Amino acid sequence: ANAHLIASAPAMLEALRQARESVYIEMAYLGDPDISAAITTAAAAGVPVRVLFSRAANVGNDLNYRTMYQICRRAPVDVTFSDRMIHSKLILVDDRVAIFGSANISVFSMQKAAELDIVIRDDPAFIVALKAVVEQRLSAGTPVRSIDELGHYSRILATGQQLHQKMTHLVS
């Protein structure tokens, strides 16, 4: 097994770009355009992609919905809502590479914040244990049956939430 501390965005992008069999994402906040593009590309190439996110995030909810709506308009992605606030940050690729830690896949986390993630590769026992938690969370969630369920967001709030993430460094 290999475990390494990593720079979040490059490792996430690399893992998503190398995905061939499956991608599972469990994330509090979404919205980074590069990560969104990598998710879309994987799904459009036929890699099954599953995403679990909060039905009602404590902040940034409109941006989460807009991001998932845009991804799902471009490629087939299996989305599940959690009625609990998802605060975990996990990407599991091909049941072989797990990336988790502090980074969301938001503009703020990918471009502004000092995040710390861990990547674990080729540790079958860990992956089995992780997948048991994933399946439990998915089974407690509600599958999104139609892209229309993701389309109910405020464009103004989503844009404001994205701008806030991009401009956070100017406010301090």
Side-chain angles (χ1 to χ4, degrees), residues 7-36:
S8 302
M12 289 177 179
L13 287 168
E14 177 186 355
L16 290 166
R17 288 175 181 149
Q18 292 178 358
R20 298 294 175 261
E21 299 170 18
S22 63
V23 172
Y24 173 76
I25 298 170
E26 186 172 307
M27 202 62 58
Y29 307 113
L30 314 171
D32 180 78
D34 294 334
I35 300 289
S36 294

Side-chain angles (χ1 to χ4, degrees), residues 123-142:
D123 186 337
F126 176 79
I127 297 298
V128 166
L130 182 60
K131 286 186 69 175
V133 173
V134 164
E135 289 306 320
Q136 181 183 27
R137 290 183 177 186
L138 285 170
S139 67
T142 305

Side-chain angles (χ1 to χ4, degrees), residues 112-150:
K112 306 286 183 203
E115 303 286 5
L116 183 62
D117 282 359
I118 296 172
V119 60
I120 295 181
R121 297 181 199 284
D122 300 317
D123 186 337
F126 176 79
I127 297 298
V128 166
L130 182 60
K131 286 186 69 175
V133 173
V134 164
E135 289 306 320
Q136 181 183 27
R137 290 183 177 186
L138 285 170
S139 67
T142 305
V144 172
R145 301 282 182 215
S146 165
I147 191 173
D148 295 335
E149 293 179 64
L150 299 170

Side-chain angles (χ1 to χ4, degrees), residues 5-10 12 27 29 87 89 100-118 165:
L5 296 173
I6 52 105
S8 302
M12 289 177 179
M27 202 62 58
Y29 307 113
H87 203 259
K89 291 91 174 161
F100 58 95
S102 66
N104 288 291
I105 52 176
S106 64
V107 168
F108 181 77
S109 283
M110 295 293 102
Q111 299 176 20
K112 306 286 183 203
E115 303 286 5
L116 183 62
D117 282 359
I118 296 172
Q165 289 184 19

